[in-house]
Amino acid sequence: MTERAHHESYDQPVGGWGSAKSLLKHSTEQRALHTVSALLKDHNKTGGYMCTGCAWAKPASPHTAEFCENGAKATFWDLTSNRTTPEFFSRRTVTELLGWSDYDLENAGRLTHPMRYDAVTDSYVAVDWDEAFREIGEKLKSYPPEDVVFYASGRACLEASYMYQLLARLYGNNNLPDSSNMCHETTSVALPQSIGTPVGTVLLKDFEKTDCIFSFGQNVGTNAPRLLHSLQEARERDVPIVVFNPLREKGWEEFVNPQRPVQMLKNSPTTIATQYYQVRAGGDIAAMIGIAKALLKMDDEAREAGAARVLDVGFLADHTDGFEAFETLVRTTSWDEILIESGLQHAALEAAALTFARAESVIAIYGMGLTQHRLGVDNIQTLVNLLLMRGQIGKPGAGICPVRGHSNVQGQRTVGIAEKAELVPLDRLAEQFGFDPPRKDGMNTVEACEAIVEGRVRAFVGLGGNFVRAIPDRTLMEEKWRGVDLSVQVATKLNRTHLVTAKTTYLLPTLVRSEIDQQESGPQIVTIEDSTTCIHGSHGKFEPAADTLLSEPRIIAEIAKATLPPNPRVPWDSWVGDYALVRDAIEKTFPDDFRDFNARLDTPGGFPRPVPARDREWTTPNGKANFKLPGALSSSFDRGEDADILRLITLRSNDQFNTTIYGYVDRLRGLSGSRMIIMMNRDDRVRLGLTEGGMARIETAVDDGRHRSMGGFQVIDYEIPPGTCASYYPECNALIPLSHHDEQSKTPAAKSVPVRIHPD
Ligand SMILES: Nc1nc2c(c(=O)[nH]1)N[C@H]1C(S)=C(S)[C@@H](COP(=O)(O)OP(=O)(O)OC[C@H]3O[C@@H](n4cnc5c(=O)[nH]c(N)nc54)[C@H](O)[C@@H]3O)O[C@H]1N2
Ligand SMILES: Nc1nc2c(c(=O)[nH]1)N[C@H]1C(S)=C(S)[C@@H](COP(=O)(O)OP(=O)(O)OC[C@H]3O[C@@H](n4cnc5c(=O)[nH]c(N)nc54)[C@H](O)[C@@H]3O)O[C@H]1N2
Ligand SMILES: [Mo]
């Protein structure tokens, strides 16, 4: 990378004019100015289309503009005027395209035709849809079912996702890994053990009632900016907001709401975080135990003084199990250990505990900073423990709030995209469709990667996503991918996964959600589930990028028809003709979640799925909310005595959506010019013999017989705790060992990779 990075601290708030300028830039560059009026009218509004960006909730009474800078960017890039046509491919070999950056690949624009890789010319060549489906079907029929993987990224609608999981199960496996396996799988494993539900308990209206917000490891200004509306409104009620994050993320500091003309004119931001703690990467369990310890001390004092208790003793007695063991752990953990591991001061944790104790209702928000660790499940369960100590789950204004990633990632799981058989009502599917579904667990993402490495995967079907770029151990995976027999990629834009070809590779182009999906019964509505379990209808508004595109439901149906023996109870063609019939089938499989589905899909604000924990009904085996004990004080690895091993956080810039890179400006962090940077604490940098602005090589400090190292990173002095450093995803994925994942859920531990940094 020849471009130099620039670092200049950004003195503007989140939102505001910086955001407005960025909108103008991206709408112009993507030649998507035609979309601007619809953004105001239809984006995230009832009767309009739902953003393909993040999964944050959509309010029943929307703001004039219910979009953020990054949602608008995602829309401009979806609705770009750029096209990757057969002609584009005829002028470039795949080997040449492999040399392109992620930015250049996606910037080339929307895929228009189904394409097949031709090894003789080393290029993609257009193919008829019918021929593509025929060959894919023939090939799929020839493999043992357990050798095929059906991956899903988190964008496909509920209708397509339901059809996709059915396709896999009729084919004969539960091999349904998804992006969630790299993201909030920790949540899906942690919360059921603790409170009996795999999803958060908070609804948007809880933000109106809460009187305290805690946030751990989530970057709101970049990754869920519309949540800032709720945070700003809470701050105007003087609600304290306490943030734990190794980096001082601008979104948690200041916000100017672009929808408030007076605030825009005066550029007078709302302060968001009232207390900000730069915890070490992996130090959250220690920080939370510290808060719990301070709470116990306050409670002891209250009891001695005969004052009101700090613990919610009634709630603990009636609703929970395991408190005594947790209390013992907290009391026997020393402050010394807590302070070393968290990197925070005793007074800081006491102050956080005091804010927590004073609040009647507390919401705890979290993101990848908790989920992507070796003890990610323990991170989340310790946070739940903290809430339970004061009865902060299952009442208005309180609860646990995982902020999900892709716009329908939570919904895909709800309708059956799950590799674990126990999560899916297989008996009901069996009865509904007259077949014997496979009962054996399938592969999750890490297991699918392991199987690819071992040569056990014959075919990989991807419903969206950029698998090879998003997973750990990229170099190894790219090498092994060549051994896969068939790769079928349903996609909107060209990405690296499409270029690391298998023996036979198909690219099947599809519509984006904001486009009109015309089928036999007319334009179709699709549905998604947001982070707060609310289901929304989405009505496409724009003409498709090409008239050769097929919708995801249609592509899945055609693959199914070409592969599976006919089954009169699975009416693929009727479903494609009218998605309302798919919704009827979904309702039949999941009657509690989707009651009156078709009638309710345009409910303003969406209709919530029932979550028993919201009403203090704990659907755990013992019927209680459970205190779970963390396995260690650090959720990271143990570096032993070696202080030269740092914890590498891999994170997103403000100019990307996962592996889609929109540009090289991480405005809110004041970084621009290049993504090949390593943010370091100055003391670490000096200690390790590196120069500010100089080049560094990062080497993974894991001894598993495989050497991983990458050069060409520019060193940036950054305000980050000693021992912690940060760089961008996906550039660093070759440094993450496949085996470096959360112990229980196998979510890759992308927020704490053991590394050594040398001058390059
Ligand atoms: N614009 C935009 N929006 C997005 C996405 C995008 O790429 N771009 N991606 C979507 C997806 S799929 C997801 S999953 C979400 C991701 O959204 P986030 O959950 O915000 O994920 P990251 O950007 O990876 O950043 C995680 C944050 O955690 C902090 N962190 C890292 N390690 C630790 C730690 O050990 N402890 C604590 N307390 N904090 C830590 C980092 O400094 C960073 O601020 O956003 C979704 N929305
Ligand atoms: N090191 C590191 N690795 C990470 C992470 C991290 O923080 N650090 N984060 C992880 C997380 S949280 C996630 S969610 C994964 C993301 O992993 P993925 O979901 O696999 O990756 P994306 O970059 O979101 O996929 C982008 C591609 O999806 C396709 N696409 C976009 N929209 C559509 C659509 O509507 N339909 C279809 N069929 N295709 C579409 C486009 O072709 C685009 O190139 O990465 C994970 N990997
Ligand atoms: Mo994600």
Side-chain angles (χ1 to χ4, degrees):
M1 182 75 50
T2 47
E3 293 300 321
R4 299 285 298 169
H6 305 282
H7 180 213
E8 202 177 317
S9 72
Y10 184 65
D11 59 3
Q12 294 297 309
V14 169
W17 293 107
S19 179
K21 265 195 259 168
S22 161
L23 280 186
L24 193 64
K25 173 175 175 282
H26 284 276
S27 58
T28 317
E29 284 177 5
Q30 291 303 309
R31 297 183 289 141
L33 280 167
H34 61 289
T35 64
V36 173
S37 63
L39 264 182
L40 283 168
K41 190 156 95 21
D42 295 315
H43 198 93
N44 285 334
K45 291 186 173 162
T46 307
Y49 62 88
M50 295 301 131
C51 186
T52 53
C54 81
W56 187 243
K58 291 104 178 87
S61 313
H63 301 86
T64 314
E66 194 53 51
F67 61 86
C68 67
E69 170 188 342
N70 285 342
K73 244 188 248 176
T75 310
F76 298 145
W77 276 64
D78 271 356
L79 298 171
T80 176
S81 297
N82 301 346
R83 299 283 180 270
T84 40
T85 57
E87 213 245 321
F88 167 93
F89 286 105
S90 71
R91 284 187 279 116
R92 293 160 184 95
T93 63
V94 165
T95 307
E96 179 192 336
L97 289 169
L98 265 174
W100 285 27
S101 66
D102 296 314
Y103 170 85
D104 287 333
L105 289 175
E106 296 253 359
N107 191 40
R110 291 283 300 280
L111 294 161
T112 58
H113 289 69
M115 308 294 294
R116 183 181 194 281
Y117 177 64
D118 175 37
V120 177
T121 56
D122 182 30
S123 63
Y124 271 107
V125 178
V127 57
D128 278 352
W129 278 109
D130 285 348
E131 195 186 324
F133 292 131
R134 195 165 41 246
E135 190 185 9
I136 292 166
E138 284 310 315
K139 283 194 157 286
L140 286 176
K141 275 193 261 187
S142 73
Y143 309 124
E146 56 278 14
D147 294 356
V148 177
V149 168
F150 295 90
Y151 172 71
S153 171
R155 280 202 181 173
C157 59
L158 292 171
E159 294 77 1
S161 304
Y162 180 79
M163 292 166 71
Y164 194 60
Q165 62 83 32
L166 191 59
L167 161 64
R169 298 197 159 101
L170 288 163
Y171 181 70
N173 69 42
N174 287 306
N175 289 341
L176 286 154
D178 59 359
S179 63
S180 186
N181 291 154
M182 297 181 261
C183 181
H184 268 288
E185 196 59 46
T186 15
T187 298
S188 310
V189 170
L191 293 185
Q193 296 173 8
S194 292
I195 58 169
T197 170
V199 294
T201 63
V202 170
L203 291 166
L204 212 42
K205 64 179 187 215
D206 290 308
F207 281 90
E208 293 161 21
K209 301 195 188 102
T210 191
D211 48 34
C212 179
I213 297 169
F214 268 62
S215 157
F216 288 84
Q218 198 270 332
N219 183 11
V220 67
T222 286
N223 296 327
R226 287 181 308 103
L227 168 52
L228 279 165
H229 292 150
S230 296
L231 299 178
Q232 183 178 42
E233 282 151 23
R235 283 297 302 126
E236 284 163 353
R237 292 189 292 111
D238 231 0
V239 169
I241 299 184
V242 184
V243 176
F244 288 80
N245 196 312
L247 273 65
R248 288 199 78 87
E249 300 287 26
K250 199 77 191 180
W252 286 109
E253 299 194 300
E254 297 181 318
F255 175 52
V256 163
N257 192 334
Q259 315 209 22
R260 295 189 182 177
V262 177
Q263 199 176 28
M264 281 292 271
L265 279 174
K266 289 192 182 159
N267 201 23
S268 60
T270 307
T271 300
I272 301 294
T274 47
Q275 287 161 262
Y276 204 117
Y277 301 113
Q278 288 184 263
V279 64
R280 291 176 60 196
D284 300 274
I285 295 177
M288 293 184 247
I289 298 270
I291 296 173
K293 201 169 171 74
L295 286 176
L296 286 177
K297 183 170 158 239
M298 281 183 244
D299 188 63
D300 292 344
E301 287 164 2
R303 199 169 32 186
E304 275 163 29
R309 295 289 296 270
V310 173
L311 300 183
D312 187 338
V313 278
F315 177 83
L316 289 175
D318 295 347
H319 286 280
T320 70
D321 192 39
F323 175 62
E324 290 73 16
F326 181 65
E327 182 183 2
T328 306
L329 174 82
V330 174
R331 288 193 190 274
T332 54
T333 306
S334 74
W335 274 110
D336 280 354
E337 292 169 88
I338 290 169
L339 303 186
I340 290 171
E341 186 42 49
S342 66
L344 299 172
Q345 305 276 327
H346 189 160
L349 294 173
E350 282 198 321
L354 197 61
T355 306
F356 187 80
R358 281 185 182 146
E360 283 301 313
S361 52
V362 182
I363 290 176
I365 295 172
Y366 67 93
M368 299 297 101
L370 287 198
T371 65
Q372 295 177 332
H373 280 288
R374 212 179 45 78
L375 295 184
V377 164
D378 308 55
N379 264 338
I380 297 163
Q381 292 183 332
T382 310
L383 184 55
V384 171
N385 291 350
L386 208 53
L387 293 173
L388 293 178
M389 285 174 83
R390 284 191 38 83
Q392 295 294 7
I393 299 190
K395 66 179 186 186
I400 184 90
C401 182
V403 180
R404 299 272 170 171
H406 272 298
S407 50
N408 192 36
V409 66
Q410 188 165 310
Q412 296 197 336
R413 183 59 57 83
T414 302
V415 296
I417 296 201
E419 78 287 354
K420 291 188 190 116
E422 61 170 14
L423 298 181
V424 186
L426 293 178
D427 290 338
R428 218 170 275 145
L429 288 178
E431 195 189 316
Q432 207 170 331
F433 301 111
F435 78 118
D436 190 11
R439 304 278 165 170
K440 194 175 136 221
D441 281 352
M443 300 178 213
N444 61 24
T445 292
V446 162
E447 288 156 359
C449 291
E450 288 164 350
I452 290 167
V453 170
E454 288 161 20
R456 286 188 282 118
V457 170
R458 304 292 302 283
F460 182 102
V461 185
L463 185 62
N466 187 1
F467 189 80
V468 172
R469 196 74 175 127
I471 54 178
D473 252 337
R474 180 168 70 86
T475 318
L476 172 68
M477 291 309 303
E478 288 197 359
E479 180 193 318
K480 298 297 182 179
W481 193 266
R482 307 284 181 187
V484 174
D485 198 54
L486 172 70
S487 164
V488 179
Q489 302 289 336
V490 183
T492 54
K493 298 271 195 75
L494 189 58
N495 64 44
R496 193 165 174 96
T497 302
H498 308 154
L499 302 170
V500 184
T501 49
K503 288 176 191 151
T504 302
T505 304
Y506 277 98
L507 284 189
L508 305 182
T510 192
L511 299 171
V512 295
R513 193 183 298 141
S514 51
E515 286 173 334
I516 299 163
D517 182 351
Q518 189 70 42
Q519 302 294 347
E520 209 174 294
S521 65
Q524 301 298 308
I525 304 169
V526 298
T527 51
I528 56 122
E529 175 180 337
D530 69 30
S531 243
T532 63
T533 72
C534 292
I535 313 284
H536 306 261
S538 178
H539 305 241
K541 297 290 174 187
F542 295 93
E543 286 304 319
D547 56 11
T548 34
L549 301 180
L550 297 184
S551 74
E552 286 177 318
R554 172 88 192 273
I555 292 172
I556 295 162
E558 295 296 340
I559 294 177
K561 287 192 300 173
T563 309
L564 306 170
N567 175 345
R569 289 163 78 171
V570 190
W572 298 108
D573 286 331
S574 319
W575 281 355
V576 172
D578 183 359
Y579 298 175
L581 300 176
V582 187
R583 288 188 286 274
D584 286 340
I586 294 175
E587 181 174 345
K588 208 162 168 196
T589 312
F590 307 95
D592 299 335
D593 288 321
F594 293 98
R595 181 178 48 80
D596 296 333
F597 193 4
N598 276 306
R600 293 201 292 164
L601 55 78
D602 277 332
T603 308
F607 69 85
R609 294 196 295 115
V611 172
R614 269 184 202 138
D615 303 314
R616 297 196 165 174
E617 236 183 84
W618 317 105
T619 40
T620 49
N622 60 358
K624 297 279 186 189
N626 290 305
F627 280 85
K628 304 292 289 184
L629 299 189
L633 210 49
S634 163
S635 63
S636 181
F637 53 88
D638 179 6
R639 68 178 176 177
E641 296 297 299
D642 195 339
D644 288 354
I645 299 180
L646 306 185
R647 297 176 179 180
L648 171 71
I649 299 175
T650 58
L651 39 61
R652 295 159 169 77
S653 86
N654 189 51
D655 227 2
Q656 75 183 86
F657 193 95
N658 296 344
T659 68
T660 301
I661 309 302
Y662 300 131
Y664 297 89
V665 187
D666 195 358
R667 196 180 76 249
L668 307 179
R669 299 195 183 110
L671 296 163
S672 62
S674 165
R675 293 174 52 89
M676 288 296 285
I677 60 161
I678 176 84
M679 296 172 237
M680 293 183 76
N681 177 281
R682 183 177 295 135
D683 291 334
D684 281 332
R685 197 255 299 154
V686 172
R687 200 167 54 84
L688 297 173
L690 296 148
T691 42
E692 151 86 308
M695 301 310 278
R697 169 165 290 275
I698 312 181
E699 185 190 357
T700 309
V702 168
D703 215 1
D704 64 351
R706 197 177 169 81
H707 183 242
R708 300 170 185 86
S709 113
M710 281 176 78
F713 290 90
Q714 196 179 325
V715 179
I716 305 279
D717 278 357
Y718 206 80
E719 201 192 328
I720 191 167
T724 301
C725 58
S727 187
Y728 291 122
Y729 143 68
E731 282 78 357
C732 288
N733 283 29
L735 294 168
I736 309 178
L738 196 50
S739 57
H740 184 64
H741 53 65
D742 171 56
E743 287 182 355
Q744 294 190 56
S745 68
K746 295 202 172 170
T747 306
K751 293 298 183 270
S752 200
V753 186
V755 294
R756 292 176 195 280
I757 306 181
H758 313 284
D760 189 29

